[in-house]
Amino acid sequence: MKRSLILRLVEEKKIRIVFRPTAANTQSGDMHWLIKDYNDCRKIGTVDIVDISAIPNNIWLPRINQANVIVVVGGKKSHLLK
């Protein structure tokens, strides 16, 4: 997604992105797409990696609430839903 489109969507100049790789935790093999997605996010804003399965709710929830963009990357969606 281009920076100008995101700026129009969030109507702010500073983009704060939460990058959620949780659904990819069960994947194996080459996950080049995960790194590519992360690097793409870094090009358009400040990125906070938040793996909700690795830290307690009281830590990740405030971090998500501070973001104006949440990126949930691919992987096994059923893992994320649990």
Side-chain angles (χ1 to χ4, degrees):
M1 191 176 291
K2 292 185 178 182
R3 182 177 175 83
S4 60
L5 175 58
I6 288 179
L7 287 173
R8 288 196 314 262
L9 290 173
V10 299
E11 299 178 351
E12 293 186 33
K13 294 194 186 229
K14 184 175 182 180
I15 305 296
R16 294 176 311 276
I17 301 168
V18 162
F19 187 82
R20 290 184 52 188
T22 309
N25 287 346
T26 61
Q27 297 295 105
S28 60
D30 181 16
M31 293 196 295
H32 67 279
W33 51 269
L34 183 68
I35 302 302
K36 180 191 174 305
D37 289 350
Y38 171 74
N39 286 331
D40 287 346
C41 288
R42 288 185 56 208
K43 292 175 186 174
I44 59 173
T46 303
V47 181
D48 183 9
I49 299 173
V50 178
D51 185 343
I52 64 172
S53 67
I55 54 179
N57 298 24
N58 64 327
I59 295 175
W60 63 257
L61 189 56
R63 291 166 59 185
I64 288 176
N65 287 335
Q66 292 174 2
N68 49 21
V69 175
I70 299 172
V71 175
V72 180
V73 294
K76 191 172 182 181
K77 303 298 187 266
S78 61
H79 175 73
L80 184 60
L81 292 172
K82 289 180 187 179

